[in-house]
Amino acid sequence: MQVHFVDTTFRDGSQSLWASGMRSGMMEAVAGDMDRAGFRVIEVPGNAIYFKKLVRDLKEDPWKLMARLATLMPNTTKACMASTLNLNLFGVPTPLVLGKLFFKRLYEMGALQRAQLMSNTQDQIARDFADLFGAYREIGIEVVPDICYSLSPRHTVEHFRRKTREVAAWKPEVIYIKDAGGLLTVDRLREIAPAILEEAGTIPVELHSHCTTGEAPMVYAAALELGIATLHTGIPPLAEGSAQPSVLRTARNAISAGHSVGLDLDRVQSVSDRLLAIARIDGMPVGAPSAYDAAQYVHQIPGGVISNLRHQLASIGLQDRLEEVIEETVRVRADMGYPVMITPHSQYVCTQAALNVQAGERYKVVLDELLLFARGRYGEDSGYQDMDEGLRDRLLENPRGKELAAKTDPTPQREMTLAEARALYGGANVSDEEMLLRAMMQGQTGDIEAMRAAGPWRHYAGADPVITRVIERFGACKSLRHLEIRRGEDGLVLQRG
């Protein structure tokens, strides 16, 4: 069997291991070789969540990054999570017309050809897929919905069969199994995969898992036995740990099992070597194989969320209380009726757990989204009907919850026109790209101004083998982490970045 690979290095690898902190220059340094390595798809940070991260935290222009990746990777399909047309997932929703414009601009510049959708509740398919499929297909973007894997009494083989049948009715280009928590085992995959494959029919099925429990490499080997020919993998050092399995290890396992792979493994190894050198000089974590972790089956926090959770706890001085927050996450999820631990519910559960620990009293401070959750805002299958009754009654009586419900009533309203949205976010004198950034930042332009004031992003010399060897030799030295090494007329030039 010919095995294909979806590369997750720039998107999920960075999210899972570097709290989405992979800089534009790091991607730029290896993107050309990745485009020539033979991947079926390469994930890019092409949605509003990653745009906001680039602007606010990394002080880099995401539109320039997308344009650069489009130029450096013209031959490979580029994808990102695109489960909503709302450009402000955590706050006041933006008009749908802006979401459509956002993805249209990415497609037109050659930066995005595939939208990966998360159907994290059974009824989300009926609620959201008509708008999403229609918008993406009108633009020309491939639509690839997932089947989210989770552990609970509700998530039976019949559940996954029914969900696949509903998704397949939309006739997507691909369906993929998304195991965000790394919870799949070989035995469980052998139970659910035949049902999913049967309902998918002629629609190709891919597998996306995380190494959080240490099981994913064996699960991937079993997937090939079952006929799933496309696997989501990352390039070390942005693989393993809480991210996806290493493409190098997975490809060699596939070859050992008698399969063929269409990858230039020498080129992929070269990319890996350069990324490792870059990680060392910037002091970034290096993914490593995970030991078996039974606790993951209890708290079920996805790899990308736990990376950001560590980062956020450190920012408020609670980094030494991570284990407390994880334990509280288990209790909060049970209180909420066991929602699937995947975006956005995993973020809601973890954030509420952190608030409970920080306040020293459970639900003294309540996340707005939890107040809406109690009112069924996230759908019948989100788990809200199985919420702890005492907590639900308390949240339903919360004045803030009533206020939010009144403001965000889901009753259909007239959709804003593009002209109206433009007037709201900048007027006729700003470009589409600027207007969309302002919408993502909710009209607060300070972060955008700070990003522009920071100047151009730092360029890494990852494409130069001589410079790479210098970085590998000296990159472990903390004092050299912000050293820029480049070629000058008389040799190598070293200066502070």
Side-chain angles (χ1 to χ4, degrees):
M1 182 170 69
Q2 179 72 42
V3 181
H4 303 283
F5 297 91
V6 173
D7 179 75
T8 63
T9 306
F10 292 168
R11 207 279 303 172
D12 209 342
S14 173
Q15 180 179 340
S16 297
L17 294 169
W18 292 359
S20 300
M22 191 176 195
R23 293 189 168 277
S24 301
M26 298 174 180
M27 300 180 216
E28 177 188 50
V30 296
D33 271 340
M34 289 177 65
D35 184 56
R36 294 183 287 273
F39 291 106
R40 169 160 282 186
V41 176
I42 295 175
E43 285 192 339
V44 296
N47 70 28
I49 292 176
Y50 301 108
F51 268 47
K52 290 171 76 172
K53 173 74 178 184
L54 282 157
V55 170
R56 183 170 290 158
D57 294 347
L58 302 184
K59 302 292 188 291
E60 295 174 350
D61 189 332
W63 286 114
K64 290 183 178 178
L65 170 61
M66 291 298 107
R68 186 68 176 139
L69 292 179
T71 298
L72 292 171
M73 301 193 298
N75 304 305
T76 309
T77 296
K78 290 164 283 299
C80 191
M81 302 305 303
S83 303
T84 178
L85 298 174
N86 174 17
L87 301 181
N88 187 43
L89 191 60
F90 301 95
V92 179
T94 57
L96 295 182
V97 68
L98 292 185
K100 294 174 183 177
L101 178 63
F102 174 73
F103 288 107
K104 184 172 184 286
R105 289 296 300 117
L106 288 174
Y107 178 77
E108 289 173 343
M109 67 169 52
L112 192 75
Q113 295 86 30
R114 166 168 144 152
Q116 296 174 179
L117 278 54
M118 288 192 301
S119 51
N120 62 334
T121 62
Q122 184 72 31
D123 57 325
Q124 184 179 2
I125 297 166
R127 291 199 325 270
D128 298 342
F129 275 22
D131 281 340
L132 292 172
F133 270 69
Y136 295 134
R137 283 178 166 162
E138 183 179 346
I139 294 169
I141 294 175
E142 295 179 8
V143 188
V144 181
D146 68 1
I147 305 298
C148 286
Y149 180 71
S150 185
L151 281 174
S152 85
R154 295 189 289 127
H155 293 93
T156 63
V157 173
E158 179 54 33
H159 167 90
F160 295 114
R161 178 183 292 279
R162 184 172 67 252
K163 187 164 226 180
T164 307
R165 187 184 308 129
E166 292 182 8
V167 168
W170 290 94
K171 302 188 185 309
E173 282 75 13
V174 175
I175 293 171
Y176 75 108
I177 303 169
K178 185 176 180 68
D179 176 25
L183 303 171
L184 265 175
T185 63
V186 170
D187 289 344
R188 187 59 171 156
L189 182 69
R190 286 177 175 153
E191 289 176 352
I192 69 170
I196 291 172
L197 289 165
E198 181 181 348
E199 296 298 336
T202 59
I203 301 170
V205 174
E206 302 173 355
L207 177 59
H208 174 110
S209 188
H210 289 249
C211 295
T212 322
T213 63
E215 295 270 339
M218 293 177 288
V219 169
Y220 275 25
L224 296 179
E225 294 175 13
L226 293 164
I228 297 174
T230 301
L231 305 173
H232 293 212
T233 56
I235 300 176
L238 288 152
E240 303 180 316
S242 57
Q244 284 67 56
S246 162
V247 62
L248 295 166
R249 191 185 304 271
T250 303
R252 287 170 184 138
N253 287 346
I255 292 168
S256 296
H259 303 291
S260 58
V261 299
L263 286 178
D264 181 342
L265 293 179
D266 289 337
R267 192 182 295 274
V268 175
Q269 183 65 62
S270 173
V271 170
S272 177
D273 292 342
R274 282 175 276 160
L275 287 175
L276 181 59
I278 288 170
R280 286 172 176 164
I281 201 168
D282 267 19
M284 305 299 282
V286 173
S290 300
Y292 175 73
D293 182 9
Q296 184 68 24
Y297 294 95
V298 178
H299 63 70
Q300 300 188 28
I301 301 174
V305 175
I306 205 156
S307 169
N308 281 280
L309 181 61
R310 289 192 188 98
H311 178 74
Q312 290 162 2
L313 289 176
S315 71
I316 58 175
L318 292 180
Q319 61 269 26
D320 59 336
R321 303 184 72 181
L322 175 63
E323 291 304 318
E324 285 183 70
V325 173
I326 290 175
E327 290 173 7
E328 179 62 11
T329 295
V330 177
R331 292 189 285 269
V332 171
R333 183 177 184 239
D335 291 346
M336 292 175 66
Y338 299 100
V340 177
M341 287 293 282
I342 200 165
T343 300
H345 296 148
S346 52
Q347 284 90 337
Y348 299 162
V349 171
C350 291
T351 301
Q352 186 60 55
L355 289 172
N356 290 355
V357 170
Q358 185 180 31
E361 179 182 333
R362 304 190 76 224
Y363 305 110
K364 179 179 180 180
V365 180
V366 182
L367 193 68
D368 282 353
E369 287 77 11
L370 200 65
L371 295 171
L372 293 174
F373 184 95
R375 294 177 176 274
R377 185 55 51 86
Y378 300 102
E380 179 180 313
D381 190 51
S382 62
Y384 88 100
Q385 292 180 337
D386 299 303
M387 280 187 78
D388 176 84
E389 290 186 8
L391 176 62
R392 182 166 57 193
D393 290 345
R394 177 178 168 184
L395 297 182
L396 289 175
E397 290 302 314
N398 186 295
R400 171 66 176 166
K402 294 178 180 179
E403 178 187 341
L404 287 168
K407 286 183 177 179
T408 59
D409 191 324
T411 303
Q413 299 178 5
R414 182 182 68 84
E415 170 59 16
M416 189 177 292
T417 67
L418 183 56
E420 290 169 331
R422 188 180 298 281
L424 185 62
Y425 293 110
N429 296 322
V430 301
S431 66
D432 287 347
E433 289 80 1
E434 175 71 16
M435 175 186 64
L436 291 165
L437 283 184
R438 292 183 183 186
M440 292 174 203
M441 311 307 290
Q442 291 296 284
Q444 301 298 316
T445 59
D447 287 318
I448 300 172
E449 292 168 359
M451 175 266 290
R452 295 226 164 87
W457 67 59
R458 177 184 175 191
H459 297 281
Y460 291 76
D464 189 309
V466 175
I467 295 177
T468 298
R469 285 196 291 273
V470 173
I471 295 172
E472 289 173 342
R473 177 72 181 274
F474 298 107
C477 178
K478 291 184 179 180
S479 64
L480 296 182
R481 282 181 184 170
H482 301 290
L483 194 67
E484 182 172 348
I485 308 173
R486 57 184 173 80
R487 283 196 177 275
E489 293 182 0
D490 300 318
L492 297 185
V493 177
L494 283 70
Q495 66 184 45
R496 292 288 177 185

